[in-house]
Amino acid sequence: MTLRLPTAEVTVLLGEPIVRRRLMAMFDDSSPGIRRVTVEPTTGVTQRRRRLEEAGDAAIVLVDRVTEGLDGTGRRAVLGALAGLAARGAAVLVDDDDSVAALAVADETLRADPVRGLVVEAVGSAGSVAPLEELYRAS
């Protein structure tokens, strides 16, 4: 399977949690130019943001459940760092326990649809396949 992620954008995975985790596991983060950012649920907000900043030189950044264990304020602070990664030109792919919070910083979504397969959808554009409310229910 070939998957082309939009560069300089944040793409959030939507769909069943098990499917999202399997998809993230399929990426070979030992390949040059790919960095995976994961943290323990007990890691503080500052350390999480630092881990994201350190991944800034990669072409593809896989952000794997970095807000797990945080309250709403912490989630917003950590997810806010994703736009900076994308601004440096990285393709940022996010699988987060709180997909709705991640949508706030997303440019695109990658939906794991049982019928259509993997579908890239723009967030908030007039031509979007699903309005934000439907994305919320689908996540």
Side-chain angles (χ1 to χ4, degrees):
M1 170 180 74
T2 301
L3 175 64
R4 293 182 188 263
L5 295 171
T7 57
E9 292 189 2
V10 176
T11 303
V12 174
L13 283 174
L14 297 177
E16 293 295 319
I18 190 70
V19 175
R20 295 190 330 252
R21 286 188 186 97
R22 286 179 181 160
L23 181 62
M24 289 296 277
M26 291 172 64
F27 288 97
D28 180 7
D29 49 316
S30 66
S31 297
I34 298 178
R35 296 275 307 266
R36 184 181 303 266
V37 178
T38 60
V39 296
E40 294 296 320
T42 57
T43 305
V45 170
T46 303
Q47 292 167 311
R48 293 173 196 231
R49 286 182 59 95
R50 188 175 307 121
R51 294 281 310 275
L52 289 169
E53 299 268 332
E54 291 169 355
D57 60 341
I60 299 172
V61 180
L62 305 171
V63 181
D64 208 345
R65 299 170 55 185
V66 295
T67 68
E68 185 177 11
L70 295 177
D71 63 8
T73 302
R75 280 193 301 272
R76 283 188 296 279
V78 171
L79 291 171
L82 299 178
L85 286 173
R88 294 182 208 160
V92 181
L93 182 62
V94 181
D95 178 20
D96 201 84
D97 287 337
D98 189 348
S99 299
V100 175
L103 283 171
V105 297
D107 299 297
E108 307 263 344
T109 65
L110 180 61
R111 182 183 305 277
D113 185 291
V115 175
R116 299 182 296 161
L118 295 176
V119 181
V120 175
E121 300 170 339
V123 174
S125 69
S128 179
V129 174
L132 194 54
E133 185 176 341
E134 287 182 36
L135 294 174
Y136 173 80
R137 279 189 243 133
S139 70

